[in-house]
Amino acid sequence: METHHRISISINTAPLKGEMSVLFSGKGEPVEGHFIGPAVHNYYLIHIVLDGEGIFETLGETYPCKAGDAFVIFPDILVKYEASMSNPWQYMWVAFSGDIVEASLSTIGITPDRAVIRGCSLPAMKRMFRRLRKSVERTDYPELGNMEASGWLRLIMYELGRLHQTEGRQFAPTSRSFRQIDQAIRLLSLHYGQSLSIEEIARTLGYHRAHLTRLFKEATGLSPMQYLFKVRMKKAEELLEGDLTIAQIAASVGYNDPLFFTKQFHKWSGQTPTEFRRVLINKHDLCSPLN
């Protein structure tokens, strides 16, 4: 089934782990009514609407978008976006990741509950996106291309932040409930290594456990404990690339019992931590220039 009249994508072959790096960027003309979601992503996405219309849904709110509007998708936040049936939008996008991204966006006023920006200069945005895509398509020195693309990404973020700060754009406010859910997401993402219970989180935010669970699932598609499990397992995968022992990794992601951690990780990946690490080592050996 056709989803786009036209689509093109440029992929970064040399993103740096942990750094703010572009993953891929593209431009598309979806067909009438084409939608994505409700779903969560594991990276950040900025969409700039070039023409036409559509809607963006996040944290229980719906935002109509037209040419010159932008919307930002945050990892692990349930979103949906859909092209108009009568005047489907065209847009360009950039996907990126990095440990400092959330803090960088927050400092310029872009948060999950303020993720729509109006009034972008399309000529300026088109120029920056064109240069960004040219950077990631460099085949001679992809590492330099990655660095250059990160620079253009920061300029795009600057432009979005400037609209927040200097043009006073206002956004439809989300309810207190969904702002609290954002706090819960941050709490789980930052304190995954501690012993956390849904009762403690609900008490901290002033909610009954069942009410918090319902709101959290509506926003993310997962219960709070399912979300915490996902955060812990993804962090464990990262740590398994290093030299920590299984017991040390277990403790680092909130499990005092290494055996219980092993069972949980097997449920997550279908492999024990030791098997997962062995596969990583084998992949690394295969990719070594000496082979």
Side-chain angles (χ1 to χ4, degrees):
M1 183 162 116
E2 184 181 24
T3 60
H4 288 75
H5 296 298
R6 279 183 290 274
I7 188 170
S8 61
I9 301 176
S10 303
I11 298 175
N12 185 5
T13 60
L16 291 176
K17 190 178 181 72
E19 297 287 334
M20 185 189 295
S21 289
V22 171
L23 300 176
F24 55 89
S25 182
K27 181 179 178 181
E29 298 179 23
V31 298
E32 297 81 353
H34 172 259
F35 65 89
I36 295 177
V40 297
H41 298 70
N42 61 359
Y43 43 78
Y44 297 84
L45 272 165
I46 294 173
H47 283 72
I48 309 291
V49 182
L50 302 172
D51 196 9
E53 301 172 344
I55 59 169
F56 172 60
E57 299 178 9
T58 184
L59 294 178
E61 299 288 337
T62 299
Y63 301 88
C65 295
K66 62 183 186 305
D69 292 341
F71 57 92
V72 182
I73 295 172
F74 284 72
D76 301 319
I77 301 290
L78 193 69
V79 299
K80 178 182 178 182
Y81 45 109
E82 181 174 352
S84 164
M85 286 296 295
S86 58
N87 185 23
W89 54 15
Q90 301 173 23
Y91 50 50
M92 51 192 181
W93 69 87
V94 56
F96 53 104
S97 64
D99 295 339
I100 65 169
V101 172
E102 183 173 2
S104 298
L105 288 171
S106 179
T107 59
I108 60 175
I110 300 175
T111 57
D113 62 336
R114 295 190 66 194
V116 177
I117 300 93
R118 313 287 187 186
C120 297
S121 168
L122 289 182
M125 283 293 181
K126 288 179 180 178
R127 183 169 59 253
M128 288 187 284
F129 268 80
R130 186 165 56 248
R131 296 295 298 272
L132 182 150
R133 293 189 64 183
K134 186 176 180 181
S135 299
V136 301
E137 289 170 356
R138 292 188 60 164
T139 57
D140 47 357
Y141 295 104
E143 292 79 11
L144 290 178
N146 170 70
M147 187 173 294
E148 184 180 20
S150 296
W152 288 111
L153 172 61
R154 289 172 185 270
L155 289 174
I156 291 168
M157 291 169 58
Y158 163 81
E159 180 63 18
L160 298 179
R162 186 186 66 79
L163 289 171
H164 268 290
Q165 301 298 325
T166 64
E167 297 187 12
R169 302 297 187 191
Q170 298 299 316
F171 303 88
T174 58
S175 68
R176 173 181 177 273
S177 297
F178 281 104
R179 287 197 297 272
Q180 296 291 78
I181 294 306
D182 183 43
Q183 291 182 32
I185 289 171
R186 293 171 190 272
L187 180 67
L188 293 172
S189 298
L190 291 172
H191 298 283
Y192 58 84
Q194 301 177 16
S195 176
L196 294 173
S197 70
I198 182 62
E199 289 83 2
E200 292 170 332
I201 298 170
R203 193 183 313 115
T204 299
L205 299 177
Y207 285 109
H208 185 275
R209 169 185 173 139
H211 185 56
L212 175 64
T213 299
R214 180 180 65 79
L215 291 175
F216 196 98
K217 193 162 188 176
E218 185 176 344
T220 68
L222 301 171
S223 72
M225 300 319 290
Q226 288 172 329
Y227 185 90
L228 177 60
F229 176 72
K230 178 181 176 180
V231 171
R232 284 173 165 171
M233 293 301 105
K234 284 186 170 293
K235 186 61 179 178
E237 288 183 348
E238 293 180 19
L239 294 175
L240 283 166
E241 296 185 31
D243 299 325
L244 294 179
T245 67
I246 302 302
Q248 289 169 335
I249 292 173
S252 297
V253 297
Y255 295 97
N256 292 325
D257 183 351
L259 181 58
F260 181 66
F261 163 70
T262 295
K263 291 179 179 178
Q264 293 297 96
F265 191 86
H266 188 274
K267 182 167 71 173
W268 163 261
S269 68
Q271 298 172 303
T272 67
T274 301
E275 291 169 341
F276 186 88
R277 172 172 274 169
R278 186 180 302 121
V279 171
L280 288 176
I281 292 172
N282 289 339
K283 284 183 178 179
H284 175 75
D285 290 343
L286 287 173
C287 294
S288 171
L290 297 177
N291 289 323

